[in-house]
């Protein structure tokens, strides 16, 4: 009898794929980030609403998400522009207050990579986001693209998964991920 191909049994999780070029960081982008942070801090009041960072997926779903995001290489980051969606609640959560505005600004400027993806978020470097989860906006911490969102919200946590990123000649795929595997 014929052996079954594990790919045939795996649930496909389809995600986009970033294929933009990496470029050196421009001084004008860093200046726009500085201006954004300065104006946010100037508007913030002592009682800025703080929210805990959105939790990451856990267990097998976390493994699928890590695989999908690494294959995708940050397609969703393209909307982050020069402010990375950083807003008042983000700064409040990071425990950052107006009392030391220059330190807050420097804290973010220190995370700007020397090389980032063209036309993408200022913090989008080759290895992913240069901000710790606690420094990222809720937009970034909570967002999953269509295919990944459907998987995480679904009830297929027991099915083997294969992640397919991109399309046509730019497509990449993972090996089959199985819930019982303990590997990463």
């Amino acid at each position: 009898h014929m052996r079954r191909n594990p790919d045939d049994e795996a649930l496909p999780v389809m995600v986009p794929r970033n294929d933009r070029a990496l470029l050196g960081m421009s001084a004008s982008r860093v200046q726009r980030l500085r201006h954004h942070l300065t104006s946010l801090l100037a508007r913030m009041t002592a009682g800025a609403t703080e929210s805990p960072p959105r939790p990451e997926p856990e267990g097998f779903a976390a493994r699928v998400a890590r695989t999908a995001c690494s294959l995708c290489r940050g397609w969703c980051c393209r909307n982050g522009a020069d402010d990375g969606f950083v807003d008042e609640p983000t700064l409040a959560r990071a425990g950052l207050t107006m009392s030391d505005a220059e330190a807050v600004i420097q804290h973010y400027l220190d995370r700007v990579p020397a090389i980032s993806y063209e036309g993408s978020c200022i913090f989008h470097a080759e290895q992913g986001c240069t901000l710790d989860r606690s420094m990222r906006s809720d937009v970034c911490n909570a967002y999953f693209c269509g295919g990944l969102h459907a998987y995480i919200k679904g009830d297929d946590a027991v099915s083997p998964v294969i992640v397919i990123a991109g399309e046509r000649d730019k497509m990449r795929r993972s090996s089959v991920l199985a819930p019982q595997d303990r590997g990463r």
Side-chain angles (χ1 to χ4, degrees):
H1 84 25
M2 288 184 39
R3 286 185 48 172
R4 293 168 65 179
N5 182 345
D7 286 15
D8 295 344
E9 306 297 316
L11 178 75
V13 174
M14 309 287 291
V15 297
R17 183 168 165 87
N18 167 41
D19 59 0
R20 294 170 185 232
L22 287 161
L23 295 175
M25 182 57 61
S26 72
S28 61
R29 291 194 75 187
V30 175
Q31 196 52 45
R32 285 191 292 272
L33 173 63
R34 176 183 281 283
H35 177 77
H36 172 73
L37 295 171
T38 302
S39 58
L40 270 182
L41 287 163
R43 285 198 312 266
M44 278 179 72
T45 57
T49 312
E50 180 181 332
S51 61
R54 299 287 177 94
E56 292 184 77
E58 295 178 344
F60 183 59
R63 207 167 133 227
V64 172
R66 278 193 305 272
T67 301
C69 294
S70 66
L71 277 178
C72 164
R73 297 177 19 210
W75 171 262
C76 62
C77 304
R78 72 193 183 284
N79 295 320
D82 295 333
D83 60 27
F85 296 107
V86 174
D87 55 11
E88 292 177 40
T90 306
L91 295 180
R93 177 180 59 241
L96 306 172
T97 63
M98 191 54 204
S99 62
D100 196 359
E102 197 49 45
V104 170
I105 292 167
Q106 199 56 52
H107 195 61
Y108 276 89
L109 294 182
D110 288 347
R111 306 288 184 300
V112 174
I115 295 172
S116 71
Y117 282 104
E118 178 179 21
S120 193
C121 179
I122 192 167
F123 299 108
H124 185 193
E126 187 170 18
Q127 299 304 315
C129 185
T130 58
L131 295 178
D132 303 331
R133 200 168 172 81
S134 65
M135 292 175 70
R136 294 179 200 163
S137 75
D138 283 342
V139 169
C140 301
N141 283 334
Y143 182 80
F144 295 104
C145 65
L148 190 53
H149 179 79
Y151 172 76
I152 287 174
K153 293 290 176 233
D155 55 2
D156 296 305
V158 296
S159 302
V161 166
I162 187 165
V163 176
I164 302 166
E167 52 193 34
R168 295 185 299 281
D169 60 329
K170 302 268 197 249
M171 189 180 295
R172 300 291 181 275
R173 44 168 278 182
S174 70
S175 55
V176 174
L177 306 175
Q180 63 276 16
D181 294 346
R182 290 288 159 241
R184 295 214 169 260

